Amino acid sequence: MTTATHFLERPGVRLRYEVRGSGPLLLLVGAPMAAAHFVPLAEALAADHTVVTHDPRGISGSVLDDPTQDSTPELRADDVAAILDAMGAESADLFGSSGGAVTGLALVARHPGRVRTLVAHEPPSVELLPDAAEQRAAVDDMIETFHRAGLEAAFAKFMGNAGFGEGDEGAPAGPPGEPSEQDLLDGARFFAHELRGTTRFVPDIAALKAGPARVVIGVGVESGQLVTHRTSVTLAELLGTVPAEFPGDHGGFMGQPEEFAEVLRKVLAGG
C-alpha cells in the first residue's frame, strides 16, 4: 500500500504527516504517540478510508523551532486543523487515543464543523474526577521525578498511577518492546513539555454537546483498572452518552489492530 509523506510549515513547527488509502477522510491522532504507532491500524482501515496519521508537534518528525516550547491540546488541535486545510478538506472523522483524544476534544470545541465524528478513546481528563487534586499532584510528582531522576523513574511512577501492572503494554508514553533513541527523546518531551498541559485540560462540555460533531467516548474492554477508564466513563456521563467498547486496553489499537478497526468502522457508521 502506497503511503505519501508530507511536511507542513506552521508557525514554530514543521509538521510531518502521512496519507494512505482511499475513501472518507479519517484522522488517527495520538499524543505523544507518533504516526508510526498507528501504522497497523491505519493499514487496516485504508481499504475503505483515506487515513491520515501525523507526528504531534515536537515528537519524532515534527520538529519545533524552539524545543522547549510546551505542547498543549489547543496548539495540537490547531495543527490538526491546519493539516485539514493543507489537504483541502472541510471536515473529517477523527479517532484520538489518550492525549490524542484530548487533542480531538479541543479541536471539536475550537474548530466547530471540522470534525464529523470524534471517537475519543480513553482521554486522560483527570480534572473531571472527584480526586482531581490528587491526580494533579501525582502528575507534578512524575514531572519532578523526571527532572531529578530521569525517564525510567518517571515512567515507573506514571505506569503505577495510571493503573498498569508490571509488564502491561499500551501506556501512552511509549510503545511496547525495547525503546529506540527516538522513543527516549519523545518520552523525555512527554514528561518535560506535554504531560501537564494534556492532563490539566478541561473539556468544554457545553461546546461538545452543542456543536455539530458527533462525540463518542471509547474505552477498552480490558481497561477497567486504569485511570483513563474512570475519566472516559465520567466524560461520557457528562455528555449524556454511553462509552463505546473497543478491544484491548489503553493501547488496544496496537495489539489488535484488525479487530480494533472493525469496531471503529461500526462506531463511525453510527453503530
Side-chain angles (χ1 to χ4, degrees):
M1 181 177 299
T2 302
T3 301
T5 301
H6 303 270
F7 291 91
L8 174 61
E9 299 291 341
R10 291 263 296 143
V13 64
R14 184 176 191 240
L15 296 171
R16 178 186 179 276
Y17 67 98
E18 297 178 344
V19 183
R20 50 169 62 78
S22 61
L25 188 59
L26 171 62
L27 278 63
L28 306 180
V29 178
M33 283 186 168
H37 300 224
F38 290 89
V39 167
L41 179 61
E43 292 185 345
L45 292 162
D48 49 12
H49 287 83
T50 300
V51 184
V52 179
T53 56
H54 81 293
D55 297 334
R57 55 174 46 229
I59 298 294
S60 192
S62 289
V63 180
L64 291 166
D65 293 348
D66 177 8
T68 67
Q69 182 192 55
D70 289 339
S71 175
T72 67
E74 294 88 351
L75 281 172
R76 299 195 303 268
D78 292 347
D79 289 342
V80 174
I83 290 173
L84 289 176
D85 290 340
M87 297 185 67
E90 182 178 340
S91 63
D93 293 324
L94 189 149
F95 169 81
S97 183
S98 194
V102 178
T103 302
L105 294 168
L107 178 65
V108 168
R110 287 173 68 80
H111 299 276
R114 302 309 300 268
V115 179
R116 298 186 295 262
T117 294
L118 166 65
V119 181
H121 182 255
E122 300 201 8
S125 301
V126 296
E127 291 292 328
L128 302 178
L129 297 177
D131 58 337
E134 291 84 350
Q135 293 294 330
R136 203 177 303 130
V139 167
D140 288 343
D141 181 55
M142 294 170 209
I143 295 169
E144 189 277 331
T145 298
F146 166 72
H147 289 296
R148 173 176 48 80
L151 182 59
E152 185 174 352
F155 192 60
K157 287 191 174 183
F158 174 88
M159 292 284 281
N161 184 75
F164 289 98
E166 188 174 349
D168 281 354
E169 297 178 352
E178 192 68 25
S180 67
E181 181 179 355
Q182 186 63 55
D183 291 330
L184 295 175
L185 291 171
D186 292 346
R189 174 160 182 81
F190 172 62
F191 283 105
H193 298 293
E194 187 170 311
L195 177 58
R196 182 176 282 119
T198 295
T199 55
R200 293 288 203 275
F201 179 82
V202 180
D204 188 335
I205 303 298
L208 295 173
K209 293 174 74 171
R214 173 174 166 252
V215 179
V216 179
I217 307 303
V219 294
V221 295
E222 299 174 16
S223 292
Q225 81 282 9
L226 301 181
V227 169
T228 49
H229 186 276
R230 287 204 291 136
T231 57
S232 300
V233 170
T234 300
L235 178 55
E237 288 175 350
L238 291 170
L239 294 172
T241 63
V242 176
E245 292 190 334
F246 284 83
D249 62 8
H250 196 68
F253 64 92
M254 293 186 293
Q256 300 168 259
E258 295 287 345
E259 298 89 340
F260 203 99
E262 283 307 305
V263 175
L264 183 55
R265 285 187 178 95
K266 292 176 183 177
V267 171
L268 291 174

